[in-house]
Amino acid sequence: GNSVTQMEGPVTLSEEAFLTINCTYTATGYPSLFWYVQYPGEGLQLLLKATKADDKGSNKGFEATYRKETTSFHLEKGSVQVSDSAVYFCALQTDSWGKLQFGAGTQVVVTP
Amino acid sequence: DAMVIQNPRYQVTQFGKPVTLSCSQTLNHNVMYWYQQKSSQAPKLLFHYYDKDFNNEADTPDNFQSRRPNTSFCFLDIRSPGLGDAAMYLCATSRGAGSTDTQYFGPGTRLTVL
C-alpha cells in the first residue's frame, strides 16, 4: 500500500537557520507529492506540490524536489523565521479518488 | 476571501448527543472530503463525495454519516458521539479526484465531547 514517512519532531531551530525536513514515500503508480503546513489551531494550508519526477515545488522560500530514484520529497528553506513555526505534513496523492496519504507530521519550532 | 468555510469553529457536545458539522465552499468544486485529525496525529480520511456519489472509507465507523444536499454544502453527522470522537474535523474540496487535483482545506471544527 501507499505510505509516507517523514522525520520526527520537534525540530528546534534559531531564526535564520537552514531547515530540512526529510520525507520518503512508497506508492504504486505515479503519485503527486505535497507539503501542507498547519499553524496552531488551524486547518491545513497547501505549501507546495510537485506532480511528476524532477519537478520542484516552491513557495514562500520553501522548496522540495520530487526524486523518483530515491522516492523522496524533502522540504528545505534557507533561512527560517519565527513565523515558520508550525507542523509540516508531507503527503502523496494517487488517482484513487484523489485520496491524500499523510505522513505523521513534523513540528518545527523557530526561536528568536 | 474564504473559499472553504466550516461552521462552527468550535463545537461542544455531550456523550451520545447527535451533532452536525457544516462545510461550504465557493469554489464550485466537484469533490468534497471529510477528514478526522486527532491530537498530534495526521489527518485521516473518513469519506468523500464526488458530486452526489458518496464514497466511504472502509474503516470509517458507522457512527459517522454525511450529506451533500448541493454542490456548495456538505455535512458531517455524528449520531452518537463518544469520547474517542473528540478531534479536529477538516473539510476539503478539489475540482476532480485525480492525483494532480489539489485539495483545499477549511479551517476545521474542533469537537469536544463531554
Side-chain angles (χ1 to χ4, degrees), chain A residues 30-34 36 38 41-46 49 51 89 93-100 102-105, chain B residues 9-10 33 35 37 40-43 45 48 50 55 57 88 90 97-103 105-108 110:
Chain A
Y30 303 96
S32 293
L33 301 173
F34 299 81
Y36 282 88
Q38 187 173 36
E42 300 293 324
L44 276 74
Q45 298 178 26
L46 176 67
K49 71 176 186 179
T51 58
F89 289 95
Q93 184 168 308
T94 67
D95 279 327
S96 177
W97 296 109
K99 179 178 178 178
L100 273 171
F102 288 94
Chain B
R9 293 292 308 276
Y10 302 91
Y33 302 84
Y35 291 83
Q37 186 182 22
S40 302
Q41 295 184 22
L45 182 65
H48 74 275
Y50 194 116
N55 296 275
E57 290 298 296
M88 174 82 91
L90 297 167
S99 64
T100 59
D101 289 298
T102 301
Q103 292 184 29
F105 284 79
R110 183 167 297 283

Side-chain angles (χ1 to χ4, degrees), chain B residues 6 9-10 22-23 28 34-35 45 48 56-57 60 63 66 73-75 77 84 103 107 113:
Chain B
Q6 291 189 245
R9 293 292 308 276
Y10 302 91
S22 169
C23 177
N28 203 34
W34 279 105
Y35 291 83
L45 182 65
H48 74 275
N56 201 33
E57 290 298 296
T60 298
N63 199 24
S66 185
F73 284 87
C74 194
F75 300 99
D77 300 310
Q103 292 184 29
V113 182

